[in-house]
């Protein structure tokens, strides 16, 4: 693993006049109207008296892009505001970097700071793909900054290095310098004033004792606060260093996330390579900048890990040992990391205007514009449940070695992991046409998946997946209701997992609700009880807690593993959008000592290229046509669906027109089904049984023989349309 150079920013406290006096004043070079630092003129010692300031461009979000901000670096604190030109530069101790701001008074704004970064617990690095860009990382946020020129970036970097070097000249625990010397207080003036007023000597002495006692108490409190501050900053800095060392030494992502949880700092901390942040982290860090709408961050795609380096958490290494992967196939399949750039500018559409007349109705029968869709179909959405298929590989190995408890624990973690990608996914997938199919061949994961829409009324989707020592299949239907401010989606169907040794587990999904459709930020949550029933020794029951106003810790999942006698042998804790842990025995609440918990699963990092769809890195690959794949697919595959492809490309007008055309064909599906239409690759077991894969698809794929697979996305046959309209 290539380790990038990291510049740790260090502490600067205010009680260091002796160091500042030893540092020469930085000088400036003027070139035309620009003012920049000369790199050699910024001495290594720096100064805690002076500072630097100038205009930097800060990435806000994909709507506003780069926005200019006035930045000031002084006394170890980097602050920035929306002020285009400061009214004053705090005297001669603030030096300018770059061009002077616009002097037009009408464009001035108040210089109130909208962001502050304490450099003691921060780090920074330069971009390797852009000579004008650099990044500053703290434990809770990251700043993505850009200068006018390469020279200006060098000047800012030199100023940051000077800040670091200043701290390297002094010990870490010097926060109590102010109190190391005995601080005294004089009472002479007060005594003289009281005596002038004719107050007796005894009363004056009593007043003096009271004042000195109060001062001594305040001094003790101040010393205690300074010690707490010093300990806190020392701890944060050590964690920052551990963060960097953990990444540099190749610690697996899952283990590293667990280490951070044990340190009670939660998720979303930044390291040398960890330059992404979730939407929750962004909202927390930008609460003081709500008017700036900075809800997304900019990332360098060239500087981020590819998905296979971080996926799978701490078990990837074990997986690789226990299972042989086709190395040649893995080398040939290169998955994309972002969606295509949109061709058109997106249009705003009111969701309420579209569905206000459908309160209480089934939304699967409501035709919405393409703007409310995400560029994947429900068939592909089924495959998203297999993102963490390594959990089933690990479950197979545990059962093979005789550890049935760890097998069902990993199966339970897999059942929860399927919900991880739903966070922030506010758009609906495309409803497949009757007979539409989707295949997914992922040799790097050791899985092969296939799905088909087998019924139009009721809408049923059947899928089948084969992995390393296991098979997974399901048929599912969604019943949704719109209740004005929210949508409730109830899944109908059973998911079945069968291992090669004959052990079978079955479960059904819980209810999903989408809130704040009319007012506020849209979000989804899952609630209900999931029963994972096994045919041997163990079963599992998981409770997805329903959100409430007083719930301060949402997305909680709590469950138990029971043996045949009903005894609870293990307890599971976690969040469906983060991670799952287990502990042996029965526990009604999460233990305070997190070190006794064992990690089962942790969510993969979000992709570096965020879009409004909030697709995971895995979901971004689902609709991709890799080289040579199109010629091998049947005409029914979702990747060939034109409206979905146009939406992915950002061609919204074309996507909407194609969606309307295909909905005309979709309305014919029920009539076709009544006339005896049958699925091509699945067959129902019994009259009301589940749909099972009959086989034959992958064999037909090898020869590209797609007899009986109509071109369902093509132009509508006029004779067929006439017969449909006349019936």
């Amino acid at each position: 693993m290539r380790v990038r150079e990291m510049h740790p920013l260090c502490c600067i406290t205010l009680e260091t006049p002796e160091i500042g006096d030893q540092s020469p004043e930085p000088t400036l070079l003027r070139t035309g109207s620009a003012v920049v630092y000369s790199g050699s003129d910024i001495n290594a010692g720096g100064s805690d008296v002076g500072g630097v300031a100038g205009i930097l461009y800060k990435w806000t979000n994909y709507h506003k892009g780069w926005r200019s901000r006035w930045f000031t670096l002084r006394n170890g604190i980097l602050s920035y505001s929306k002020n285009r030109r400061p009214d004053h530069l705090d005297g001669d101790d603030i030096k300018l970097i770059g061009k002077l701001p616009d002097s037009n008074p009408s464009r001035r704004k108040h210089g109130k700071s909208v962001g502050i970064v304490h450099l003691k617990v921060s780090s920074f690095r330069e971009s390797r793909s852009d000579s004008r860009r650099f990044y500053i990382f703290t434990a809770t946020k990251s700043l993505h900054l850009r200068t006018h020129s390469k020279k200006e970036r060098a000047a800012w970097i030199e100023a940051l290095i000077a800040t670091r070097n200043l701290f390297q000249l002094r010990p870490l625990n010097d926060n109590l310098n102010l109190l190391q010397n005995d601080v005294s207080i004089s009472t002479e003036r007060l005594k003289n004033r009281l005596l002038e007023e004719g107050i007796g000597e005894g009363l004056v002495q009593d007043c003096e004792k009271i004042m000195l006692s109060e001062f001594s108490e305040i001094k003790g409190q101040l010393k205690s606060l300074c010690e707490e501050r010093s300990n806190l900053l020392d701890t944060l800095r050590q964690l920052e260093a551990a963060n960097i060392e953990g990444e540099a030494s190749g610690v697996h992502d899952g283990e590293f996330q667990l280490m951070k949880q044990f340190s009670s700092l939660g998720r979303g901390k930044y390291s040398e390579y960890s330059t992404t942040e979730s939407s929750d982290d962004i909202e927390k860090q930008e609460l003081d900048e709500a008017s700036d709408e900075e809800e997304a961050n900019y990332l360098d795609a060239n500087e981020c890990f590819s998905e296979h380096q971080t996926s799978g958490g701490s078990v990837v290494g074990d997986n690789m040992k226990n299972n042989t992967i086709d190395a040649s196939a893995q080398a040939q399949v290169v998955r994309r990391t972002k969606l295509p750039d949109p061709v058109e500018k997106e249009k705003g559409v009111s969701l309420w205007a579209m569905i206000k007349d459908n309160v209480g109705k089934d939304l699967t029968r409501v035709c919405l514009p393409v703007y409310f869709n995400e560029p994947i179909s429900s068939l592909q959405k089924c495959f998203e449940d297999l993102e963490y298929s390594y959990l089933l590989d690990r479950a197979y190995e545990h059962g093979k070695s005789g550890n049935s408890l760890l097998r069902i624990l990993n199966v339970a973690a897999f059942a929860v992991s399927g919900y991880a990608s739903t966070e922030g996914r506010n758009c609906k997938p495309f409803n497949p046409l009757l007979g539409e199919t989707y295949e997914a061949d992922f040799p790097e994961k050791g899985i092969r998946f296939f799905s088909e829409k087998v019924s139009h009324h009721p809408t049923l989707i059947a899928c089948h997946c084969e992995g390393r020592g296991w098979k997974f299949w399901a048929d599912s239907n969604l019943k949704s209701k719109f209740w004005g401010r929210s949508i409730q989606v109830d899944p109908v169907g059973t998911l079945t997992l069968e291992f090669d040794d004959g052990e079978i587990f079955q479960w059904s999904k819980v209810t999903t609700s989408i809130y704040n459709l009319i007012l506020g930020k849209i979000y989804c949550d899952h609630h209900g009880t999931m029963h994972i029933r096994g045919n041997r020794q163990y079963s599992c029951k998981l409770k997805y807690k329903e959100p409430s106003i007083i719930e301060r810790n949402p997305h909680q999942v709590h469950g138990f593993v029971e043996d045949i006698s009903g005894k609870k042998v293990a307890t599971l804790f976690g969040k469906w959008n983060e991670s799952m842990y287990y502990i042996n025995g029965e526990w009604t609440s999460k233990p305070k000592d997190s070190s006794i918990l064992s990690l089962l699963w942790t969510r993969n990092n979000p992709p570096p290229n965020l879009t409004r769809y909030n697709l995971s890195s895995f979901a971004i690959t689902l609709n991709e046509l890799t080289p040579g794949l199109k010629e091998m697919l049947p005409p029914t595959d979702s990747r060939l669906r034109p409206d979905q492809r146009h939406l992915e490309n950002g061609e919204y007008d074309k996507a909407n027109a194609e969606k309307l055309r295909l909905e005309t064909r979709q309305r014919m599906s029920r009539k076709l089904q009544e006339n005896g239409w049958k699925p091509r690759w699945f067959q129902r077991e019994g009259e009301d049984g589940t749909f099972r894969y009959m086989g034959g698809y992958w064999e037909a794929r090898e020869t590209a023989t797609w007899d009986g697979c109509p071109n369902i996305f093509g132009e509508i046959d006029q004779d067929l349309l006439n017969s449909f309209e006349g019936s």
Side-chain angles (χ1 to χ4, degrees):
M1 181 182 294
R2 180 168 62 90
V3 179
R4 303 169 185 168
E5 182 182 357
M6 201 70 175
H7 301 284
L9 295 183
C10 304
C11 171
I12 296 183
T13 53
L14 302 179
E15 304 86 16
T16 57
E18 67 281 1
I19 297 179
D21 294 341
Q22 296 170 1
S23 304
E25 188 75 19
T27 59
L28 297 170
L29 293 179
R30 291 186 177 270
T31 56
S33 60
V35 184
V36 298
Y37 270 110
S38 169
S40 60
D41 292 333
I42 301 179
N43 83 61
S47 173
D48 69 335
V49 178
V52 297
I55 291 291
L56 287 175
Y57 290 92
K58 180 180 181 293
W59 178 261
T60 56
N61 54 36
Y62 284 95
H63 175 63
K64 292 189 174 182
W66 295 97
R67 291 301 175 100
S68 62
R69 298 289 182 263
W70 178 258
F71 278 78
T72 302
L73 171 59
R74 188 177 185 183
N75 293 330
I77 297 177
L78 182 70
S79 61
Y80 57 96
S81 66
K82 299 179 183 180
N83 192 5
R84 298 298 181 87
R85 176 182 174 88
D87 293 330
H88 58 84
L89 295 178
D90 296 330
D92 297 331
D93 55 350
I94 294 293
K95 306 302 180 183
L96 289 175
I97 295 180
K99 295 182 178 180
L100 294 174
D102 190 352
S103 60
N104 186 354
S106 62
R107 297 182 59 185
R108 292 189 184 182
K109 299 179 182 180
H110 295 292
K112 180 181 179 181
S113 294
V114 295
I116 294 177
V117 175
H118 294 271
L119 300 184
K120 175 171 183 175
V121 290
S122 303
S123 56
F124 71 92
R125 73 174 164 86
E126 304 172 355
S127 170
R128 298 182 183 274
S129 61
D130 191 328
S131 62
R132 299 181 300 162
R133 198 178 305 156
F134 65 98
Y135 314 103
I136 296 179
F137 306 101
T138 74
T140 57
K141 70 162 74 175
S142 62
L143 297 180
H144 303 266
L145 307 173
R146 193 183 68 187
T147 61
H148 282 285
S149 64
K150 182 178 181 180
K151 180 182 289 187
E152 290 182 21
R153 186 184 77 168
W156 278 102
I157 294 298
E158 287 290 342
L160 295 173
I161 293 175
T163 302
R164 174 198 63 185
N165 292 340
L166 173 61
F167 176 69
Q168 289 177 345
L169 298 177
R170 49 192 308 171
L172 184 64
N173 59 351
D174 63 349
N175 296 279
L176 300 179
N177 284 345
L178 182 64
L179 299 175
Q180 286 178 351
N181 299 323
D182 188 22
V183 180
S184 61
I185 183 172
S186 174
T187 61
E188 288 300 321
R189 293 177 59 190
L190 180 59
K191 289 169 59 177
N192 294 336
R193 183 71 180 88
L194 293 176
L195 292 174
E196 289 176 1
E197 293 294 329
I199 298 176
E201 183 74 25
L203 183 57
V204 171
Q205 291 179 358
D206 290 342
C207 292
E208 181 181 17
K209 290 179 181 179
I210 293 174
M211 188 180 70
L212 292 176
S213 175
E214 292 290 333
F215 174 76
S216 177
E217 189 173 328
I218 293 175
K219 181 180 176 181
Q221 294 176 0
L222 177 61
K223 184 175 181 179
S224 176
L225 289 175
C226 288
E227 289 175 350
E228 290 181 5
R229 172 181 176 273
S230 178
N231 293 335
L232 176 60
L233 292 178
D234 289 350
T235 301
L236 288 174
R237 191 171 182 215
Q238 291 168 11
L239 289 174
E240 181 75 16
N243 200 352
I244 299 171
E245 292 171 3
E247 292 287 350
S249 60
V251 176
H252 288 299
D253 181 68
E255 298 171 352
F256 189 48
Q257 292 286 350
L258 184 59
M259 290 164 51
K260 289 188 286 186
Q261 170 133 352
F262 291 163
S263 66
S264 300
L265 289 181
R267 302 176 70 244
K269 308 300 183 283
Y270 298 96
S271 64
E272 179 178 1
Y273 293 106
S274 179
T275 58
T276 61
E277 52 189 325
S278 69
S279 58
D280 290 340
D281 295 328
I282 296 166
E283 289 170 4
K284 291 176 182 177
Q285 79 180 51
E286 300 296 350
L287 285 177
D288 59 339
E289 297 182 51
S291 60
D292 222 10
E293 298 183 7
E294 298 178 353
E295 297 176 348
N297 59 312
Y298 177 84
L299 301 167
D300 261 338
N302 296 335
E303 300 177 15
C304 295
F305 272 132
S306 60
E307 178 188 3
H308 71 273
Q309 289 175 290
T310 56
S311 62
S314 61
V315 301
V316 173
D318 295 334
N319 244 9
M320 298 289 285
K321 294 177 183 177
N322 296 329
N323 302 284
T324 303
I325 296 179
D326 188 345
S328 61
Q330 184 177 7
Q332 294 173 1
V333 180
V334 179
R335 311 287 179 185
R336 67 184 181 183
T337 59
K338 59 173 292 186
L339 296 178
D341 295 328
V343 176
E344 304 172 7
K345 184 176 181 181
E346 194 171 348
K347 299 178 181 179
V349 180
S350 171
L351 177 62
W352 175 248
M354 297 295 169
I355 60 179
K356 63 182 179 180
D357 297 327
N358 298 282
V359 175
K361 296 183 180 179
D362 186 350
L363 284 187
T364 59
R365 296 170 176 260
V366 178
C367 297
L368 297 176
V370 75
Y371 310 110
F372 300 116
N373 289 90
E374 58 184 4
I376 61 174
S377 71
S378 297
L379 298 169
Q380 295 165 316
K381 190 86 170 177
C382 291
F383 184 52
E384 277 199 78
D385 288 349
L386 278 299
E387 177 176 358
Y388 302 94
S389 61
Y390 70 83
L391 292 169
L392 301 184
D393 298 340
R394 190 167 61 176
Y396 170 72
E397 294 296 333
H398 284 308
K400 189 177 178 182
S401 62
N403 197 331
S404 299
L405 178 59
L406 277 178
R407 168 174 281 189
I408 191 171
L409 286 170
N410 280 276
V411 171
F414 171 78
V416 175
S417 70
Y419 292 101
S421 63
T422 63
E423 186 177 28
R425 299 278 288 276
N426 303 322
C427 297
K428 64 184 294 288
F430 279 86
N431 184 25
L433 304 183
L434 184 63
E436 187 173 336
T437 63
Y438 175 72
E439 69 159 62
D441 187 10
F442 276 64
E444 65 270 31
K445 286 180 171 287
I447 57 177
R448 199 166 61 171
F449 173 90
F450 179 73
S451 59
E452 178 184 8
K453 182 173 180 179
V454 295
S455 172
H456 176 65
H457 185 71
T459 300
L460 286 177
I461 293 174
C463 66
H464 179 87
C465 184
E466 299 174 359
R468 301 184 179 106
W470 52 267
K471 294 179 181 178
F472 172 83
W473 67 88
D475 59 13
S476 62
N477 181 22
L478 296 178
K479 292 185 177 180
S480 61
K481 287 295 181 69
F482 172 56
W483 301 115
R485 293 183 298 176
S486 64
I487 296 177
Q488 179 178 315
V489 180
D490 295 305
V492 179
T494 302
L495 292 77
T496 304
L497 172 67
E498 180 180 4
F499 292 98
D500 286 355
D501 56 17
E503 187 166 14
I504 298 175
F505 295 96
Q506 289 185 324
W507 67 93
S508 297
K509 291 195 171 186
V510 297
T511 299
T512 297
S513 294
I514 303 175
Y515 301 93
N516 292 341
L517 294 177
I518 309 304
L519 183 63
K521 182 182 178 181
I522 298 178
Y523 70 96
C524 74
D525 210 330
H526 313 284
H527 50 91
T529 302
M530 176 184 288
H531 296 271
I532 303 177
R533 300 174 177 86
N535 65 339
R536 291 185 180 174
Q537 185 177 2
Y538 295 112
S539 60
C540 180
K541 183 183 294 184
L542 296 172
K543 176 68 174 179
Y544 294 70
K545 294 186 178 180
E546 188 169 5
S548 63
I549 298 177
I550 61 175
E551 179 60 65
R552 296 185 177 181
N553 198 11
H555 315 319
Q556 291 289 314
V557 181
H558 181 209
F560 301 96
V561 173
E562 299 178 348
D563 59 15
I564 297 178
S565 64
K567 179 182 177 181
K568 297 176 180 178
V569 296
T571 307
L572 295 99
F573 301 96
K575 293 185 176 184
W576 55 260
N577 64 331
E578 287 187 4
S579 55
M580 288 296 295
Y581 301 86
Y582 80 93
I583 184 172
N584 292 325
E586 180 181 357
W587 296 72
T588 56
S589 61
K590 188 174 181 179
K592 295 182 179 180
D593 184 8
S594 299
S595 61
I596 64 177
L597 292 173
S598 299
L599 177 67
L600 285 170
W601 160 79
T602 185
R603 179 184 178 183
N604 291 335
N605 291 329
N609 303 285
L610 297 175
T611 67
R612 76 175 184 91
Y613 305 114
N614 285 323
L615 299 181
S616 65
S617 297
F618 183 66
I620 287 175
T621 67
L622 300 186
N623 199 48
E624 178 185 14
L625 282 170
T626 54
L629 179 61
K630 185 176 181 179
E631 293 73 21
M632 305 171 65
L633 294 175
T636 54
D637 195 276
S638 293
R639 277 166 287 212
L640 305 179
R641 180 167 176 160
D643 53 351
Q644 185 172 303
R645 182 62 59 186
H646 285 313
L647 178 62
E648 180 183 283
N649 294 331
E651 300 171 306
Y652 304 108
D653 290 339
K654 291 182 179 179
N656 209 45
E658 283 295 325
K659 186 172 186 292
L660 293 175
R661 181 182 69 83
L662 291 178
E663 282 174 352
T664 301
R665 177 183 284 272
Q666 182 79 318
R667 286 191 287 271
M668 301 166 55
S669 298
R670 183 172 181 177
K671 189 67 176 180
L672 294 174
Q673 187 171 327
E674 291 174 353
N675 291 337
W677 182 90
K678 293 182 179 181
R680 176 67 177 84
W681 307 105
F682 288 83
Q683 186 175 8
R684 187 187 291 272
E685 293 182 332
E687 185 176 350
D688 297 319
T690 60
F691 281 88
R692 292 292 304 272
Y693 174 60
M694 296 185 299
Y697 175 83
W698 298 104
E699 293 76 9
R701 186 181 187 272
E702 291 180 1
T703 59
T705 304
W706 301 116
D707 297 336
C709 296
N711 182 14
I712 61 175
F713 305 129
E715 295 297 330
I716 302 176
D717 183 83
Q718 190 61 39
D719 294 337
L720 183 62
L721 182 61
N722 293 337
S723 63
F724 170 72
E725 292 176 346
S727 60

